[in-house]
């Protein structure tokens, strides 16, 4: 038997069944079975107390006690069942048999100390156990073995592929582990991290002797997955660093110094300083930087971006910063222009709606090097946009840009520019560590001082009047208010209608106040006008769709009312909330929902009311949606781990990452004899399948 042996040669399978298994499970080889891990294990070593039952436990459990009061209830064949009382010293449980024979009834050990084992049902406050397994022998009852339960389905079970079948097949396979499994981690690493051998891991993942053995096996297999995943990225990154030449920016010059000393309107946070240093260290080297900047909404990523661009400028290079929407690009442009007004740094804006005549001027100024900083949207990517010397390209809110677009930036200069990508909302650290391993990651984990945490509340339709009155009061105090509506219908026309109706209601209620509207159907110029109107403070209320989701900055706006909040995803809610709390005033976010909420919506709303921390929110988001959805479907296959859980296995991922870093530092080409097994395994498993080749 080898790992490649076809399953039809396994005992009890044969060609017919092999075909069926392939169709349903996609399994063709012994290896497929071996890596089909149990979903859970049944632990018979523990005795539970009836009095401790609070809700339905998920797994079968065991009790010790006595059966009393056997009864036959119901009439007719289909209705008839047998029940009995089961007591331990803490409570009573009903045992139920829907099918039984007289013989069975006679065999039931009455008033005698026994063990029962099975699933618990909870109904109308009563606990019952249907069809319990009964054991009189204490030794047998408590036999410590954990029984593996495999992920199955009714369809499989009908064709005889039930749990027992998997247990049998795996019993046979695990008898051959000696010849099937070779070690793939160096011994010193295993000793150092206390990882059990590979063969033992495979045995004890299927048939753990006890919980301790299971945990060791589980940890070892998880580590292995994380390790080779990181190794794939590590090798790629190493290759990139060796081959990706970049322009070194050795100096800090007058533009940066002047700005830092005389213009910068606030002290950088320590986190901003730390991140800026990381960027500066990267850009000093003659190697292209590829860095991801993670930071919560409002943590001040833009300032870090601007300072980095000034470093490029001091070294004779141009920069560009790209944003996913026109509004955001305009805001960046307005903000950066204002900050640089007193300097001689030239900045321009290039978007889809830039006029042809203006475009011409920009193209020329880029080519002759007069223009130092270009702010824009996707328009920057067009081939016609050429630079004299592009040294740094920054992508804001990078999740809106594809990998291909990132790659197009590389081609904008003979020696590719340094790349800095920034996230809109944080993604869980473990995910960033794994998925973005091809990027170096910097984190701004601190907010500028003096920010008042936003107060978030959940309100329902019946509270509407109170909410509106509250908004009115805030407006009277000089604040501004956002109302955000989701795209409710598939049809854009209906959404639009919906928005207009709500707009009318708001006009009515807030009579005498200025209300403006912002939605996706408006032309760029109209959007800009609406934004400027609101930003100027002359208009108190902005009624919008999620167009305003990203980046918009109006510090005097202190109330965000999100309608039908249950329809928004968590990261979207967090982004929207981030539009307030940008000034010195206490800000509020009010989540309006209908009365009936799904469990998931409830979790989302509750999370929002409980925390302002984007990292925490993204972790809940990942729990709810899974890593694939967070990264976008295009990338979901990449995080298709068998054992590793990106959310809860942060420790293991970190350990694997560190181990790989040390490995590649000491033996970058995996030439040392002690790394031979590892190299062979990697080459066979990963490189040939080019599993991680999808990301660049
Ligand atoms: P984001 O990280 O969400 O892109 P921004 O860069 O838009 O955040 O910054 C949010 C606001 O915080 C801006 O108004 C910015 O000027 C301000 N800001 C940034 N850094 C600091 C700081 N160190 N101290 C005070 N305010 C800051
Ligand atoms: Mg931003």
């Amino acid at each position: 038997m080898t790992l490649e042996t076809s399953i039809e040669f396994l005992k009890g399978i044969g060609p017919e069944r092999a075909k069926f298994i392939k169709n349903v499970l996609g399994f063709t080889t012994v290896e497929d079975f071996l890596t089909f891990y149990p979903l859970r294990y049944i632990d018979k070593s523990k005795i539970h107390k009836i009095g401790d039952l609070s809700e339905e436990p998920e797994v079968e459990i065991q009790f010790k006690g006595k059966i009393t009061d056997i009864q036959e209830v119901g009439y007719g064949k289909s209705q008839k069942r047998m029940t009995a009382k089961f007591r331990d010293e803490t409570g009573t449980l009903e045992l139920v048999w829907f099918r039984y024979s007289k013989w069975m009834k006679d065999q039931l050990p009455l008033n005698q100390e026994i063990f029962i084992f099975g699933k618990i049902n909870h109904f109308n406050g009563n606990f019952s156990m249907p069809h319990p397994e009964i054991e009189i022998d204490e030794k047998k009852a408590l036999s410590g073995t954990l029984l593996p339960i495999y992920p199955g389905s009714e369809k499989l079970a009908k064709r005889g592929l039930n749990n027992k079948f998997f247990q049998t097949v795996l019993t046979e396979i695990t008898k051959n582990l000696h010849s099937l499994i070779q070690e793939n981690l160096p011994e010193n690493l295993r000793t150092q991290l206390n990882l059990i051998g590979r063969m033992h891991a495979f045995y004890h993942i299927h048939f753990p002797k006890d919980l301790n053995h299971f945990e060791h096996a589980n940890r070892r297999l998880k580590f292995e997955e994380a390790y080779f995943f990181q190794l794939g990225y590590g090798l790629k990154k190493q290759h990139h660093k060796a081959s990706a030449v970049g322009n070194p920016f050795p100096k800090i010059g007058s533009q940066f110094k002047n700005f830092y000393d005389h213009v910068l309107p606030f002290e950088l946070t320590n986190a901003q300083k730390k991140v800026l240093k990381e960027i500066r260290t990267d850009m000093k080297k003659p190697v292209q930087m590829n860095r991801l900047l993670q930071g919560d909404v409002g943590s001040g990523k833009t300032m870090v971006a601007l300072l980095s661009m000034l470093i490029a400028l001091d070294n004779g290079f141009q920069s560009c910063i790209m944003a996913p929407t026109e509004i955001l690009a305009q805001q960046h442009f307005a903000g950066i222009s204002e900050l640089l007004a007193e300097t001689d740094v030239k900045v321009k804006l290039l978007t889809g709606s830039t006029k042809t005549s203006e475009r011409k001027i920009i193209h020329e100024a880029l080519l002759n090097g007069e223009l130092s900083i270009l702010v824009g949207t996707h328009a920057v990517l067009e081939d016609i946009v050429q630079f004299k010397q592009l040294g740094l390209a920054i992508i804001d809110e990078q999740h809106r840009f594809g990998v291909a677009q990132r790659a197009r930036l590389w081609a904008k200069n003979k020696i590719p520019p340094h790349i800095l990508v920034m996230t809109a909302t944080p993604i869980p650290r473990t995910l960033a560590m794994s998925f973005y391993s091809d990027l170096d990651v910097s984190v701004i984990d601190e907010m500028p001082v003096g920010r008042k945490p936003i107060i978030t509340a959940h309100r329902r339709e019946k509270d509407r009047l109170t909410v509106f009155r509250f908004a009115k009061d805030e407006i009277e105090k000089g604040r501004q208010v956002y109302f955000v509506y989701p795209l409710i219908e598939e049809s854009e026309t209906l959404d639009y209608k919906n928005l207009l109706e709500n707009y009318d209601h708001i006009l009515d209620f807030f009579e005498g106040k200025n209300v403006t509207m912002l939605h996706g159907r408006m032309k760029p110029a109209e959007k800009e006008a609406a934004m400027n109107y609101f930003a100027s403070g002359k208009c108190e209320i902005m009624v919008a769709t999620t167009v305003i989701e990203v980046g918009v900055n109006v510090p005097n706006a202190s109330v965000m009312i999100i309608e039908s909040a249950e329809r928004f995803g968590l990261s979207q809610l967090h982004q929207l909330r981030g539009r307030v709390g940008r000034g010195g005033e206490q800000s509020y976010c009010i989540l309006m929902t209908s009365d009936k909420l799904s469990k998931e919506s409830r979790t989302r709303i509750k999370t929002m009311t409980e925390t302002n921390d984007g990292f925490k929110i993204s972790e809940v988001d990942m729990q709810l949606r899974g890593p694939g959805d967070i990264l976008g479907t295009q990338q979901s296959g990449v995080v298709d781990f068998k054992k590793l859980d990106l959310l809860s296995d942060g420790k293991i991922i970190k350990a694997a990452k560190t181990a790989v870093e040390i490995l590649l530092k000491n033996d970058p080409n995996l030439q040392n004899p002690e790394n031979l097994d590892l190299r062979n395994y990697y080459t066979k498993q990963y490189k040939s399948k080019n599993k991680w080749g999808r990301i660049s």
Side-chain angles (χ1 to χ4, degrees):
M1 191 189 287
T2 68
L3 287 177
E4 287 80 35
T5 299
S6 164
I7 55 171
E8 68 171 284
F9 301 116
L10 289 172
K11 219 185 270 169
I13 294 192
E16 268 292 293
R17 259 185 159 183
K19 229 188 248 161
F20 174 71
I21 294 170
K22 185 176 175 218
N23 280 342
V24 190
L25 290 168
F27 291 4
T28 55
T29 64
V30 164
E31 184 173 13
D32 291 332
F33 268 106
L34 197 57
T35 53
F36 186 57
Y37 301 121
L39 202 57
R40 55 193 172 86
Y41 305 83
I42 292 178
D43 183 5
K44 290 186 74 177
S45 66
K46 189 168 179 222
I47 295 171
H48 293 255
K49 298 268 178 249
I50 295 172
D52 291 344
L53 286 174
S54 55
E55 51 186 30
E56 242 171 58
E58 276 185 16
V59 295
E60 292 84 347
I61 54 177
Q62 182 154 264
F63 298 96
K64 182 181 181 180
K66 286 177 185 166
I67 294 181
T68 58
D69 307 324
I70 300 178
Q71 280 186 10
E72 288 178 81
V73 287
Y75 298 98
K77 228 182 180 177
S78 59
Q79 309 261 310
K80 215 168 157 190
R81 58 204 153 87
M82 172 165 81
T83 64
K85 291 253 168 333
F86 180 85
R87 301 170 201 276
D88 67 7
E89 67 280 10
T90 64
T92 309
L93 191 69
E94 189 176 54
L95 307 182
V96 189
W97 291 264
F98 296 100
R99 265 205 242 144
Y100 63 95
S101 59
K102 180 170 182 311
W103 180 82
M104 242 179 86
K105 187 183 161 201
D106 296 340
Q107 293 289 310
L108 276 186
L110 265 180
N111 298 316
Q112 177 186 344
E113 193 94 317
I114 56 158
F115 298 85
I116 60 161
F117 177 77
K119 258 201 90 90
I120 295 288
N121 287 337
H122 187 197
F123 188 70
N124 277 350
N126 297 316
F127 291 100
S128 65
M129 182 187 284
H131 298 273
E133 273 177 35
I134 294 174
E135 182 58 65
I136 300 169
D137 183 345
E138 169 150 10
K139 238 196 197 151
K140 272 195 193 152
L142 298 180
S143 64
T145 329
L146 295 175
L147 286 175
I149 304 295
Y150 291 91
S153 68
E154 235 168 82
K155 194 173 166 196
L156 289 176
K158 265 194 195 141
R159 296 287 297 259
L161 307 185
N162 53 16
N163 203 45
K164 187 114 198 200
F165 164 81
F166 288 111
Q167 286 177 4
T168 314
V169 171
L170 278 149
T171 305
E172 196 196 333
I173 293 176
T174 46
K175 274 184 200 150
N176 296 285
L177 282 179
H178 271 286
S179 59
L180 289 175
I181 298 297
Q182 278 87 47
E183 186 51 64
N184 60 12
L185 294 176
E187 198 182 331
N188 58 5
L189 179 65
R190 285 199 286 117
T191 318
Q192 188 199 335
L193 296 178
N194 192 19
L195 295 166
I196 61 168
R198 194 156 190 256
M199 198 184 75
H200 285 106
F202 273 105
Y203 183 79
H204 287 291
I205 203 68
H206 289 288
F207 302 107
K209 211 165 99 194
D210 51 34
L211 203 59
N212 187 35
H213 279 78
F214 160 74
E215 273 162 5
H216 272 288
N218 201 34
R219 191 167 142 262
R220 149 80 210 212
L221 292 173
K222 283 179 177 209
F223 181 85
E224 181 178 314
E225 240 179 342
Y227 185 82
F228 284 100
F229 180 79
Q230 295 288 347
L231 182 59
Y233 267 131
L235 287 168
K236 225 170 139 183
K237 201 146 113 187
Q238 182 175 281
H239 174 77
H240 174 74
K241 288 208 162 139
S243 59
V245 284
N247 288 302
F249 298 168
K251 66 174 188 205
I252 292 284
S254 56
Q255 294 291 4
F256 182 96
K257 276 192 202 131
N258 175 48
F259 184 87
Y260 198 91
D261 295 340
H262 304 298
V263 184
L264 188 63
F266 38 69
E267 169 95 10
L268 291 186
T269 62
N270 285 330
Q272 282 171 316
K273 285 183 191 162
K274 173 195 77 188
V275 162
L276 192 64
K277 208 166 169 188
E278 286 165 354
I279 293 171
R280 160 134 173 76
T281 309
D282 271 6
M283 296 197 306
K284 259 190 205 167
K285 297 178 193 153
V287 175
Q288 186 203 26
M289 170 175 79
N290 259 301
R291 192 166 274 281
L292 170 73
L293 177 53
Q294 277 233 77
D296 208 344
V297 181
S299 62
K301 296 183 287 285
T302 318
M303 188 49 78
V304 172
L306 176 57
L307 287 164
S308 308
M309 293 196 284
L310 292 177
I311 296 177
L313 178 58
D314 275 338
N315 287 275
F317 286 87
Q318 296 161 294
S319 309
C320 68
I321 176 164
M322 269 172 36
T325 65
E326 181 118 10
I327 293 187
L328 190 53
Q330 270 159 11
Q331 285 223 354
H332 275 329
F333 176 68
I336 291 172
S337 306
E338 200 186 318
L339 281 165
L340 296 178
E342 301 291 304
T343 72
D344 56 0
V345 183
K346 287 240 159 24
V347 190
K348 287 269 186 198
L349 175 68
L350 179 69
T351 69
S353 56
T354 306
K355 292 207 180 66
T356 319
S357 53
E358 171 74 1
R359 261 171 210 258
K360 256 198 186 141
I361 297 171
I362 292 175
H363 291 167
E364 247 166 59
L366 282 175
L367 266 182
N368 67 27
E370 254 171 51
L371 187 55
S372 303
I373 294 177
L374 181 65
V375 182
T377 54
H378 293 78
V380 173
L381 292 170
E382 284 167 25
D383 288 334
I384 193 168
V385 181
Q386 293 292 331
F387 295 76
K388 185 178 181 207
Q389 274 279 39
L390 179 64
L392 172 64
I394 299 175
I395 302 179
D396 196 13
E397 322 291 0
Q398 74 90 31
H399 68 296
R400 303 267 181 120
F401 291 91
V403 171
Q405 286 167 326
R406 228 206 288 167
R408 277 179 81 177
L409 280 172
W410 290 36
K412 290 270 173 207
N413 208 52
K414 213 187 263 156
I415 292 178
H418 295 297
I419 306 273
L420 181 68
V421 299
M422 308 199 287
T423 50
T425 27
I427 51 174
R429 278 166 224 260
T430 49
L431 197 57
M433 243 186 322
S434 313
F435 183 70
Y436 292 114
S437 318
D438 63 328
L439 302 171
D440 295 301
V441 181
S442 289
V443 182
I444 303 185
D445 48 9
E446 178 188 9
M447 288 297 208
V449 287
R451 290 269 167 85
K452 292 197 182 83
I454 301 163
I455 295 172
T456 303
H458 176 201
R459 294 288 179 267
R460 297 169 195 266
E461 207 45 53
K462 64 174 167 46
D463 313 312
R464 179 163 298 277
L465 198 58
T466 326
V467 171
F468 272 38
R469 281 196 189 125
F470 173 75
K472 215 175 207 169
D473 288 348
E474 286 297 299
I475 291 171
E476 294 304 333
K477 287 189 217 155
R479 307 285 103 74
Q480 288 163 280
V481 177
Y482 291 104
F483 281 91
V484 178
Y485 291 86
L487 301 180
I488 294 175
E489 305 288 340
E490 289 295 306
S491 137
E492 216 179 305
T493 321
L494 280 176
D495 278 337
Y496 183 56
K497 198 170 147 254
N498 187 285
L499 190 73
L500 284 185
E501 269 169 23
N502 286 306
Y503 179 71
D504 283 343
H505 287 316
I506 289 167
L507 277 183
D508 273 356
F509 188 91
F510 295 93
E511 213 192 319
K513 302 292 172 219
N514 292 314
V515 186
T516 186
M517 197 164 33
L518 192 65
H519 58 81
R521 281 186 144 204
M522 287 157 62
K523 297 205 181 74
E526 294 170 339
K527 283 188 205 164
E528 193 186 345
M531 250 342 282
N532 288 341
Y533 184 32
F534 187 65
S536 72
K538 286 182 206 129
C539 158
E540 293 90 354
I541 299 169
M542 158 81 72
V543 179
T545 60
T546 49
V547 180
I548 62 149
E549 180 192 337
V550 204
V552 168
N553 191 21
V554 179
N556 189 51
S558 68
V559 181
M560 162 68 62
I561 297 168
I562 305 178
E563 298 283 350
S564 304
E566 70 270 32
R567 295 176 193 261
F568 291 91
L570 257 181
S571 69
Q572 217 177 5
L573 288 173
H574 183 57
Q575 260 298 320
L576 285 169
R577 177 169 62 183
R579 300 310 108 216
V580 295
R582 303 187 146 244
E585 302 302 331
Q586 176 62 56
S587 291
Y588 304 89
C589 174
I590 299 165
L591 306 170
M592 299 291 299
T593 73
S594 60
D595 289 333
K596 269 205 175 137
L597 293 180
S598 70
K599 197 173 159 208
E600 209 185 296
S601 321
R602 238 178 299 141
T603 308
R604 287 199 299 261
I605 303 289
K606 190 161 164 270
T607 307
M608 287 296 294
T609 55
E610 280 172 358
T611 182
N612 274 306
D613 181 339
F615 283 98
K616 270 191 201 141
I617 289 173
S618 67
E619 290 196 350
V620 176
D621 200 23
M622 186 152 107
Q623 250 158 5
L624 291 176
R625 295 195 296 149
D629 269 357
I630 289 188
L631 294 169
T633 43
Q634 172 205 2
Q635 290 140 349
S636 60
V638 179
V639 284
D640 227 352
F641 293 112
K642 285 212 137 141
K643 274 248 140 256
L644 200 64
D645 178 346
L646 287 176
L647 192 64
S648 54
D649 292 331
K651 247 190 188 162
I652 292 179
I653 294 171
K654 225 177 240 162
K657 195 174 159 75
T658 311
V660 166
E661 277 164 10
I662 294 170
L663 170 78
L664 291 180
K665 199 167 158 225
N666 296 332
D667 186 14
N669 298 312
L670 309 183
Q671 300 286 353
N672 291 351
E674 80 219 33
N675 295 326
L676 192 68
D677 291 342
L678 183 158
R679 181 197 168 95
N680 287 341
Y681 178 81
Y682 175 76
T683 314
K684 192 163 152 248
Q685 291 292 313
Y686 291 81
K687 223 171 164 186
S688 61
K689 289 181 192 160
N690 198 17
K691 208 169 172 182
W692 318 121
R694 277 174 268 175
I695 311 160
S696 63

